[in-house]
Amino acid sequence: MNRKNYKSSTIWGKLRVCKYLSASRSLRENVPYTVRLTLPQLYSMSARYSSLYIKPDIGSLGIGVYKLNRMSKGYELLSSRNKRQTRKIFRNLSSVFRHIQAGQRGQKMIIQQAVKLGRLAGRPYDIRSMVQRKPGGSWVCTGIAARVGARNRIVTNLYQGASMQSLHSLLRKKGMSSAARSACLKRITAKSLNIAKVLSARRSGMHELGIDLALDSRQRLRILEVNSHRP
């Protein structure tokens, strides 16, 4: 993926980005439901979805990310910290909330509907798309790749043990035909450019975005995260 040394504006906050994208008619079905972490919202989201991601509103590298799974009795909380993953079981959501609050020390957190990632040889993967534009120019998709997470990890960041490979190659390994692979890459490119246009209409001076996407069980593209960069 090519990177240009353009100065680029940043949109701070994952929740803000989700709100901007959800306001777009062409993108709202691609955005997992996302809210601010509060105890009432944790109860509401847990009742609505069996699995949730809880992560810093401003953060990177998969640091401080939790995955909460509802069990028949209690809740399983997986966390990513210091390149290690831990597992704890809680009897109720109040205990989960207190545990997360204590660990984050006042940092703003969000709750997001978990998207079930595709897998390659038992390892989860998502898609990283890079879009860029020169000042005064049009958005161009300059790279698309797959990030394959370490086995049994809740995140696919390279910092947390993931590896990067060609998405075309990954889809071929999964048995997708050449025509289907090309169609998938075209769909990802079109969606990435749409995301860039929507966000840059909200914030002037944006020239580079890293977009994390996933194909869900219905082969629908879901937007996991959008990172704006300031070189």
Side-chain angles (χ1 to χ4, degrees):
M1 296 182 187
N2 299 322
R3 284 182 176 270
K4 303 295 184 182
N5 192 29
Y6 304 135
K7 291 183 178 180
S8 184
S9 300
T10 299
I11 297 177
W12 294 107
K14 295 179 177 68
L15 184 59
R16 177 178 292 148
V17 170
C18 287
K19 287 180 177 178
Y20 288 165
L21 296 176
S22 296
S24 168
R25 186 175 300 175
S26 62
L27 293 175
R28 63 177 58 127
E29 72 169 9
N30 304 107
V31 183
Y33 192 57
T34 308
V35 297
R36 181 81 65 198
L37 172 63
T38 65
L39 185 55
Q41 290 283 27
L42 186 59
Y43 275 104
S44 175
M45 290 285 281
S46 184
R48 187 172 181 178
Y49 304 107
S50 60
S51 292
L52 301 169
Y53 273 96
I54 302 168
K55 50 191 176 180
D57 189 41
I58 298 175
S60 61
L61 304 178
I63 297 170
V65 174
Y66 300 86
K67 186 176 183 183
L68 181 67
N69 298 314
R70 189 175 69 231
M71 305 169 66
S72 57
K73 293 183 179 179
Y75 300 87
E76 176 190 52
L77 186 69
L78 304 171
S79 63
S80 173
R81 187 178 296 276
N82 298 326
K83 299 186 180 182
R84 298 180 60 189
Q85 185 165 295
T86 61
R87 178 179 184 265
K88 291 182 178 292
I89 302 298
F90 295 88
R91 296 180 60 184
N92 54 63
L93 289 173
S94 295
S95 298
V96 172
F97 181 76
R98 288 194 298 270
H99 175 79
I100 293 174
Q101 290 290 88
Q104 297 307 314
R105 299 176 183 176
Q107 187 176 19
K108 291 181 179 179
M109 304 287 286
I110 62 170
I111 314 172
Q112 189 170 71
Q113 168 196 2
V115 175
K116 189 174 182 179
L117 300 181
R119 290 184 174 268
L120 179 69
R123 298 170 63 190
Y125 71 89
D126 63 12
I127 301 159
R128 166 56 70 95
S129 174
M130 181 65 71
V131 289
Q132 296 170 304
R133 65 175 177 178
K134 295 180 179 180
S138 300
W139 286 105
V140 177
C141 186
T142 54
I144 298 173
R147 298 187 308 180
V148 183
R151 195 176 299 274
N152 298 320
R153 289 294 184 94
I154 62 172
V155 294
T156 56
N157 300 76
L158 300 181
Y159 179 78
Q160 303 288 348
S163 60
M164 189 84 78
Q165 64 176 268
S166 160
L167 179 61
H168 202 279
S169 173
L170 181 144
L171 296 177
R172 179 175 50 79
K173 292 174 185 175
K174 289 181 66 65
M176 192 176 286
S177 69
S178 177
R181 294 197 300 270
S182 295
C184 183
L185 288 167
K186 287 181 180 178
R187 191 155 58 104
I188 291 168
T189 297
K191 189 64 67 175
S192 298
L193 294 176
N194 191 5
I195 291 167
K197 290 173 184 176
V198 167
L199 292 181
S200 59
R202 295 278 191 163
R203 181 81 164 89
S204 63
M206 300 185 75
H207 297 292
E208 183 173 281
L209 293 172
I211 302 169
D212 296 337
L213 300 159
L215 287 167
D216 68 13
S217 58
R218 295 163 52 190
Q219 294 302 297
R220 179 175 52 174
L221 277 173
R222 308 305 298 275
I223 304 168
L224 303 177
E225 198 166 303
V226 180
N227 303 286
S228 46
H229 301 278
R230 187 170 300 188

